[in-house]
């Protein structure tokens, strides 16, 4: 691949690194049981990794188009297509991991609410002299439950927004992949047509040279050996 060989290898190594880091983040998100802000931070980090991966794949595609030899170009284009398919697969896995984490967080928060409600019921059975204290504790628990429910609603909205963004990213990447596939196929057709035209030109040049030399030989024959 000439002087660009080193740059191609470096680009491929970075693509592999981002792919492995994304897979590790997907596993972390799937196993995340809260709190919600921790899940949000992981998703923010994931978006950065996908953006870096997308840029490096585009760099590899650009280097493929700059190759002098057609065989080298086709090898790199095939690798670009493979990397894009793998990125789409990772984005789908990311979305599923978010859903699994969200369900886990919701279940844990519901269990916490139930535990606090059970504690409030037990406090209601306290002696009369502790009734005022029990009432105050119940009120605080109810307020805490209300705040937790409000936070849960907000967290659910954030997660839905993240999933919607992930879905749009997947759709955009898929459309970009379809467009690039069409461009690559068109390029292959043009290259094939060019190769056929080049073969035809060579054949015509060969025939013209053969006709030229035959004419020269005929003239020389008439001049040098007119009696033949």
């Amino acid at each position: 691949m000439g002087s660009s060989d080193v740059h191609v290898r470096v680009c491929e190594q970075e693509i592999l690194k981002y792919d492995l880091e994304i897979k590790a983040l997907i596993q972390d998100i799937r196993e995340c049981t809260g709190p919600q802000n921790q899940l949000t931070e992981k998703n923010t980090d994931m978006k950065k990794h996908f953006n870096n991966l997308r840029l490096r794949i585009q760099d590899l595609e650009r280097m493929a188009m700059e190759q002098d030899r057609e065989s080298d170009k086709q090898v790199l284009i095939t690798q670009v297509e493979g990397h894009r398919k793998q990125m789409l697969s990772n984005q789908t896995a990311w979305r599923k991991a978010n859903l699994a984490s969200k369900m886990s967080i919701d279940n844990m928060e519901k269990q916490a609410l139930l535990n606090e409600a059970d504690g409030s019921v037990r406090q209601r059975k306290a002696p009369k002299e502790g009734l005022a204290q029990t009432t105050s504790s119940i009120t605080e628990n109810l307020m805490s439950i209300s705040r937790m429910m409000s936070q849960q609603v907000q967290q659910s909205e954030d997660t839905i927004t993240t999933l919607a963004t992930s879905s749009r990213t997947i759709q955009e990447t898929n459309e970009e992949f379809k467009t690039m596939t069409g461009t690559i196929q068109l390029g292959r057709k043009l290259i094939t047509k060019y190769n056929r035209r080049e073969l035809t030109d060579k054949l015509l040049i060969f025939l013209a040279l053969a006709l030229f030399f035959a004419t020269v030989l005929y003239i020389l024959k008439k001049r040098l050996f007119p009696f033949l």
Side-chain angles (χ1 to χ4, degrees):
M1 298 182 187
S3 60
S4 63
D5 186 44
V6 175
H7 298 290
V8 170
R9 285 201 301 269
V10 171
C11 186
E12 289 176 341
Q13 289 174 359
E14 292 184 357
I15 290 174
L16 178 60
K17 182 192 73 170
Y18 286 130
D19 181 70
L20 293 175
E21 291 176 351
I22 285 172
K23 284 180 169 59
L25 278 172
I26 290 174
Q27 185 65 27
D28 290 343
I29 290 174
R30 184 180 293 111
E31 297 174 354
C32 181
T33 57
Q36 181 63 34
N37 59 351
Q38 183 179 0
L39 178 60
T40 301
E41 290 177 359
K42 291 181 182 296
N43 279 312
T44 300
D45 193 21
M46 179 70 84
K47 291 177 184 178
K48 294 179 181 178
H49 276 72
F50 269 118
N51 185 59
N52 290 333
L53 176 60
R54 188 178 298 105
L55 292 175
R56 297 310 290 154
I57 292 176
Q58 290 175 355
D59 289 341
L60 184 61
E61 183 179 25
R62 174 182 53 78
M63 285 185 278
M65 295 304 176
E66 293 174 352
Q67 296 302 310
D68 296 329
R69 292 192 300 178
E70 179 61 24
S71 58
D72 293 341
K73 181 186 296 184
Q74 292 301 325
V75 168
L76 290 181
I77 287 176
T78 301
Q79 291 179 3
V80 169
E81 293 176 351
H83 290 318
R84 280 204 169 95
K85 290 180 181 178
Q86 183 61 47
M87 184 171 65
L88 287 174
S89 176
N90 286 337
Q91 288 174 330
T92 301
W94 175 30
R95 183 179 181 182
K96 292 180 180 179
N98 263 293
L99 291 174
S101 176
K102 180 57 182 171
M103 289 180 62
S104 178
I105 293 174
D106 288 346
N107 290 335
M108 293 188 67
E109 291 179 347
K110 289 177 183 177
Q111 187 61 43
L113 291 174
L114 290 174
N115 291 338
E116 291 188 5
D118 290 342
S120 298
V121 171
R122 286 193 296 268
Q123 287 181 2
R124 290 175 184 173
K125 297 179 182 180
K128 293 182 178 180
E129 58 271 13
L131 182 59
Q133 182 179 359
T134 300
T135 302
S136 176
S137 177
I138 292 175
T139 301
E140 291 178 358
N141 286 333
L142 291 175
M143 292 178 64
S144 176
I145 291 173
S146 177
R147 287 193 298 269
M148 290 184 65
M149 291 180 67
S150 177
Q151 292 177 356
Q152 184 176 359
V153 170
Q154 183 61 42
Q155 292 167 358
S156 298
E157 292 177 354
D158 293 340
T159 300
I160 291 173
T161 301
T162 299
L163 293 177
T165 302
S166 174
S167 298
R168 287 195 300 269
T169 302
I170 292 173
Q171 293 175 356
E172 291 172 357
T173 304
N174 192 28
E175 290 299 326
E176 180 183 351
F177 175 69
K178 290 180 179 179
T179 302
M180 188 52 58
T181 300
T183 302
I184 292 171
Q185 291 176 351
L186 178 59
R188 286 176 177 173
K189 291 180 180 179
L190 292 175
I191 291 170
T192 302
K193 182 178 180 181
Y194 172 78
N195 290 336
R196 291 177 180 174
R197 181 62 180 275
E198 184 180 8
L199 179 60
T200 302
D201 291 344
K202 289 180 179 179
L203 181 59
L204 291 175
I205 292 173
F206 174 77
L207 292 176
L209 289 173
L211 179 59
F212 172 76
F213 285 118
T215 303
V216 172
L217 289 174
Y218 177 77
I219 294 172
L220 290 175
K221 177 183 177 183
K222 290 297 182 179
R223 293 286 183 86
L224 299 177
F225 307 101
F227 50 88
L228 293 179

